[in-house]
Amino acid sequence: MDAQVKILVVEDDMIIAAKIAGQLTRLGYEVTGIIPRGEDAIRHAEENRPHIALLDIQLKGTLDGIATAHALHDLWHIPVIFVTANSDEATFNRAKATHPYAFIAKPIKNIDLQRAVELTWNLISNRPSEPAENLPPAAGDAPYVLSDRIFIRHKDRMVRIALADILYIEADRNYCHLFTATHQYTLTTPLKVLEDKLPGSQFLRVHRSFIVNLLRIDEVAENHLTVGGRPVAMGNAFREELLKRIKTL
C-alpha cells in the first residue's frame, strides 16, 4: 500500500463521511477532503487531483453521485468507488455505465473498504500511462458543461470558464472558437455539439456559424449583433427568435 495515495470522500451524511475518512486514514491513505455535494467535489478535484474518489450514489444537490462520477472521469480520469445503500436496478445500471472500480454496500465494513481501495489502486498503478494527446476525444477533448461553468481542454490541461464570461462561439468547420473578453480558445468540437450542451436559457444560435451569450449582447443591428463590444453576424432566419428571447430576459 502506498502512503501517498490520495482519496476524496463524497458523502452528504457527515457522520458516515467522517467514519469513512477515519477508516481510510487508519489504513494509511491521505483523505484530500470530505465533500457533501457533487458540484463541490468537482471543484475540489480540480484543485487537489485525488487518485481515487469514493462516492455515495445518492447525493443531494444538482449532481448525484453518478453524474459526479461522469464528470470526474471525463475531466481527469479519476477512478471511482461507489458507496451505496439499497439502489434500484435502474440506478445500478446508470452507475454501472460510469465504469466504477468497485461498489461498497452500506453499512461499510472495514475489510470491504480496504479491499476495494487496494484493488482499485493496484489496477490504476499498473495500467500503462497515456499521453494527453492520445486520449480518445470523448474523454480528452469534449467540453464538460455544468450549471454555471464549462471545462475545456486547452494546451494539455483542463480550463474552467464561467458561462457568464463567454461572449460568443464561432464555428470553424469541425472546430469552434470560444471567445471571452480576454481570451480565445479553440475546441475540437463542432458547434452543434456545444449548442446541445449549453443551457438554452442563456445561449442562442444567431447564425449558422455563431452562438451568443444572450446576457452579453450590447445591441442588435439589421444584420449583426454587438456582443462584448465585438460585431457578430446574425442570420435573418434567427432574428425573430432572438428578438423574442431578448424580450424575456
PDB file of all heavy atoms in Angstrom, residues 1-5 24-30 114 117-118 121:
ATOM      1  N   MET A   1       0.846  -1.197   0.000  1.00  0.00           N
ATOM      2  CA  MET A   1       0.000   0.000   0.000  1.00  0.00           C
ATOM      3  C   MET A   1       0.882   1.249   0.000  1.00  0.00           C
ATOM      4  O   MET A   1       1.868   1.321   0.710  1.00  0.00           O
ATOM      5  CB  MET A   1      -0.906  -0.024   1.246  1.00  0.00           C
ATOM      6  CG  MET A   1      -1.996   1.044   1.258  1.00  0.00           C
ATOM      7  SD  MET A   1      -1.408   2.638   1.835  1.00  0.00           S
ATOM      8  CE  MET A   1      -0.963   2.229   3.501  1.00  0.00           C
ATOM      9  N   ASP A   2       0.533   2.215  -0.804  1.00  0.00           N
ATOM     10  CA  ASP A   2       1.287   3.450  -0.942  1.00  0.00           C
ATOM     11  C   ASP A   2       0.677   4.515  -0.039  1.00  0.00           C
ATOM     12  O   ASP A   2      -0.479   4.879  -0.184  1.00  0.00           O
ATOM     13  CB  ASP A   2       1.251   3.907  -2.392  1.00  0.00           C
ATOM     14  CG  ASP A   2       2.215   5.044  -2.674  1.00  0.00           C
ATOM     15  OD1 ASP A   2       2.528   5.815  -1.759  1.00  0.00           O
ATOM     16  OD2 ASP A   2       2.639   5.141  -3.832  1.00  0.00           O
ATOM     17  N   ALA A   3       1.507   5.058   0.889  1.00  0.00           N
ATOM     18  CA  ALA A   3       1.001   6.036   1.849  1.00  0.00           C
ATOM     19  C   ALA A   3       0.624   7.347   1.180  1.00  0.00           C
ATOM     20  O   ALA A   3      -0.020   8.188   1.786  1.00  0.00           O
ATOM     21  CB  ALA A   3       2.043   6.287   2.929  1.00  0.00           C
ATOM     22  N   GLN A   4       1.050   7.546  -0.074  1.00  0.00           N
ATOM     23  CA  GLN A   4       0.769   8.785  -0.772  1.00  0.00           C
ATOM     24  C   GLN A   4      -0.524   8.741  -1.586  1.00  0.00           C
ATOM     25  O   GLN A   4      -0.847   9.699  -2.273  1.00  0.00           O
ATOM     26  CB  GLN A   4       1.947   9.125  -1.703  1.00  0.00           C
ATOM     27  CG  GLN A   4       3.260   9.338  -0.975  1.00  0.00           C
ATOM     28  CD  GLN A   4       3.174  10.422   0.083  1.00  0.00           C
ATOM     29  OE1 GLN A   4       2.722  11.527  -0.197  1.00  0.00           O
ATOM     30  NE2 GLN A   4       3.561  10.105   1.298  1.00  0.00           N
ATOM     31  N   VAL A   5      -1.229   7.631  -1.543  1.00  0.00           N
ATOM     32  CA  VAL A   5      -2.488   7.544  -2.289  1.00  0.00           C
ATOM     33  C   VAL A   5      -3.484   8.545  -1.699  1.00  0.00           C
ATOM     34  O   VAL A   5      -3.752   8.543  -0.505  1.00  0.00           O
ATOM     35  CB  VAL A   5      -3.067   6.117  -2.229  1.00  0.00           C
ATOM     36  CG1 VAL A   5      -4.400   6.065  -2.970  1.00  0.00           C
ATOM     37  CG2 VAL A   5      -2.090   5.132  -2.851  1.00  0.00           C
ATOM     38  N   LEU A  24     -10.082   5.248   6.315  1.00  0.00           N
ATOM     39  CA  LEU A  24      -9.048   5.416   5.294  1.00  0.00           C
ATOM     40  C   LEU A  24      -7.741   5.921   5.895  1.00  0.00           C
ATOM     41  O   LEU A  24      -6.652   5.467   5.529  1.00  0.00           O
ATOM     42  CB  LEU A  24      -9.531   6.386   4.213  1.00  0.00           C
ATOM     43  CG  LEU A  24     -10.669   5.885   3.326  1.00  0.00           C
ATOM     44  CD1 LEU A  24     -11.207   7.014   2.457  1.00  0.00           C
ATOM     45  CD2 LEU A  24     -10.209   4.713   2.457  1.00  0.00           C
ATOM     46  N   THR A  25      -7.862   6.852   6.828  1.00  0.00           N
ATOM     47  CA  THR A  25      -6.656   7.390   7.480  1.00  0.00           C
ATOM     48  C   THR A  25      -5.930   6.315   8.260  1.00  0.00           C
ATOM     49  O   THR A  25      -4.700   6.202   8.218  1.00  0.00           O
ATOM     50  CB  THR A  25      -7.033   8.566   8.399  1.00  0.00           C
ATOM     51  OG1 THR A  25      -7.663   9.591   7.626  1.00  0.00           O
ATOM     52  CG2 THR A  25      -5.796   9.143   9.068  1.00  0.00           C
ATOM     53  N   ARG A  26      -6.690   5.479   8.964  1.00  0.00           N
ATOM     54  CA  ARG A  26      -6.063   4.398   9.735  1.00  0.00           C
ATOM     55  C   ARG A  26      -5.396   3.369   8.821  1.00  0.00           C
ATOM     56  O   ARG A  26      -4.434   2.705   9.225  1.00  0.00           O
ATOM     57  CB  ARG A  26      -7.106   3.729  10.635  1.00  0.00           C
ATOM     58  CG  ARG A  26      -7.512   4.585  11.842  1.00  0.00           C
ATOM     59  CD  ARG A  26      -8.355   3.803  12.822  1.00  0.00           C
ATOM     60  NE  ARG A  26      -9.660   3.444  12.285  1.00  0.00           N
ATOM     61  CZ  ARG A  26     -10.726   4.241  12.330  1.00  0.00           C
ATOM     62  NH1 ARG A  26     -10.632   5.457  12.864  1.00  0.00           N
ATOM     63  NH2 ARG A  26     -11.885   3.837  11.833  1.00  0.00           N
ATOM     64  N   LEU A  27      -5.910   3.256   7.599  1.00  0.00           N
ATOM     65  CA  LEU A  27      -5.304   2.335   6.636  1.00  0.00           C
ATOM     66  C   LEU A  27      -4.069   2.949   5.969  1.00  0.00           C
ATOM     67  O   LEU A  27      -3.387   2.282   5.193  1.00  0.00           O
ATOM     68  CB  LEU A  27      -6.333   1.951   5.563  1.00  0.00           C
ATOM     69  CG  LEU A  27      -7.467   1.027   6.034  1.00  0.00           C
ATOM     70  CD1 LEU A  27      -8.553   0.954   4.957  1.00  0.00           C
ATOM     71  CD2 LEU A  27      -6.934  -0.368   6.353  1.00  0.00           C
ATOM     72  N   GLY A  28      -3.804   4.199   6.263  1.00  0.00           N
ATOM     73  CA  GLY A  28      -2.599   4.836   5.752  1.00  0.00           C
ATOM     74  C   GLY A  28      -2.793   5.696   4.521  1.00  0.00           C
ATOM     75  O   GLY A  28      -1.815   6.164   3.930  1.00  0.00           O
ATOM     76  N   TYR A  29      -4.038   5.947   4.119  1.00  0.00           N
ATOM     77  CA  TYR A  29      -4.294   6.770   2.952  1.00  0.00           C
ATOM     78  C   TYR A  29      -4.456   8.235   3.348  1.00  0.00           C
ATOM     79  O   TYR A  29      -4.792   8.549   4.485  1.00  0.00           O
ATOM     80  CB  TYR A  29      -5.557   6.295   2.226  1.00  0.00           C
ATOM     81  CG  TYR A  29      -5.449   4.884   1.699  1.00  0.00           C
ATOM     82  CD1 TYR A  29      -6.109   3.832   2.329  1.00  0.00           C
ATOM     83  CD2 TYR A  29      -4.671   4.597   0.587  1.00  0.00           C
ATOM     84  CE1 TYR A  29      -6.009   2.530   1.868  1.00  0.00           C
ATOM     85  CE2 TYR A  29      -4.558   3.299   0.114  1.00  0.00           C
ATOM     86  CZ  TYR A  29      -5.233   2.268   0.756  1.00  0.00           C
ATOM     87  OH  TYR A  29      -5.114   0.980   0.294  1.00  0.00           O
ATOM     88  N   GLU A  30      -4.251   9.115   2.391  1.00  0.00           N
ATOM     89  CA  GLU A  30      -4.462  10.545   2.613  1.00  0.00           C
ATOM     90  C   GLU A  30      -5.846  10.925   2.106  1.00  0.00           C
ATOM     91  O   GLU A  30      -6.165  10.713   0.929  1.00  0.00           O
ATOM     92  CB  GLU A  30      -3.408  11.368   1.876  1.00  0.00           C
ATOM     93  CG  GLU A  30      -3.626  12.874   1.988  1.00  0.00           C
ATOM     94  CD  GLU A  30      -2.681  13.682   1.123  1.00  0.00           C
ATOM     95  OE1 GLU A  30      -1.679  13.113   0.636  1.00  0.00           O
ATOM     96  OE2 GLU A  30      -2.959  14.882   0.912  1.00  0.00           O
ATOM     97  N   GLN A 114     -11.133  -1.614   2.703  1.00  0.00           N
ATOM     98  CA  GLN A 114      -9.706  -1.869   2.490  1.00  0.00           C
ATOM     99  C   GLN A 114      -9.464  -2.603   1.171  1.00  0.00           C
ATOM    100  O   GLN A 114      -8.607  -2.219   0.376  1.00  0.00           O
ATOM    101  CB  GLN A 114      -9.137  -2.673   3.651  1.00  0.00           C
ATOM    102  CG  GLN A 114      -7.652  -2.986   3.516  1.00  0.00           C
ATOM    103  CD  GLN A 114      -7.124  -3.764   4.706  1.00  0.00           C
ATOM    104  OE1 GLN A 114      -7.827  -3.974   5.694  1.00  0.00           O
ATOM    105  NE2 GLN A 114      -5.871  -4.182   4.632  1.00  0.00           N
ATOM    106  N   VAL A 117     -10.288  -0.372  -2.041  1.00  0.00           N
ATOM    107  CA  VAL A 117      -9.279   0.648  -2.324  1.00  0.00           C
ATOM    108  C   VAL A 117      -7.981   0.003  -2.807  1.00  0.00           C
ATOM    109  O   VAL A 117      -7.353   0.465  -3.769  1.00  0.00           O
ATOM    110  CB  VAL A 117      -9.023   1.532  -1.086  1.00  0.00           C
ATOM    111  CG1 VAL A 117      -7.864   2.484  -1.339  1.00  0.00           C
ATOM    112  CG2 VAL A 117     -10.282   2.313  -0.728  1.00  0.00           C
ATOM    113  N   GLU A 118      -7.562  -1.086  -2.155  1.00  0.00           N
ATOM    114  CA  GLU A 118      -6.330  -1.757  -2.568  1.00  0.00           C
ATOM    115  C   GLU A 118      -6.441  -2.287  -3.996  1.00  0.00           C
ATOM    116  O   GLU A 118      -5.499  -2.174  -4.790  1.00  0.00           O
ATOM    117  CB  GLU A 118      -6.001  -2.900  -1.599  1.00  0.00           C
ATOM    118  CG  GLU A 118      -5.451  -2.429  -0.264  1.00  0.00           C
ATOM    119  CD  GLU A 118      -5.030  -3.591   0.620  1.00  0.00           C
ATOM    120  OE1 GLU A 118      -5.100  -4.755   0.167  1.00  0.00           O
ATOM    121  OE2 GLU A 118      -4.614  -3.333   1.766  1.00  0.00           O
ATOM    122  N   TRP A 121      -6.376   0.732  -6.433  1.00  0.00           N
ATOM    123  CA  TRP A 121      -5.034   1.304  -6.555  1.00  0.00           C
ATOM    124  C   TRP A 121      -4.104   0.363  -7.319  1.00  0.00           C
ATOM    125  O   TRP A 121      -3.279   0.808  -8.130  1.00  0.00           O
ATOM    126  CB  TRP A 121      -4.456   1.618  -5.185  1.00  0.00           C
ATOM    127  CG  TRP A 121      -3.066   2.200  -5.271  1.00  0.00           C
ATOM    128  CD1 TRP A 121      -1.905   1.663  -4.792  1.00  0.00           C
ATOM    129  CD2 TRP A 121      -2.700   3.437  -5.889  1.00  0.00           C
ATOM    130  NE1 TRP A 121      -0.850   2.478  -5.083  1.00  0.00           N
ATOM    131  CE2 TRP A 121      -1.311   3.576  -5.750  1.00  0.00           C
ATOM    132  CE3 TRP A 121      -3.422   4.430  -6.550  1.00  0.00           C
ATOM    133  CZ2 TRP A 121      -0.612   4.678  -6.252  1.00  0.00           C
ATOM    134  CZ3 TRP A 121      -2.729   5.533  -7.064  1.00  0.00           C
ATOM    135  CH2 TRP A 121      -1.350   5.640  -6.910  1.00  0.00           C
TER     136      TRP A 121
END
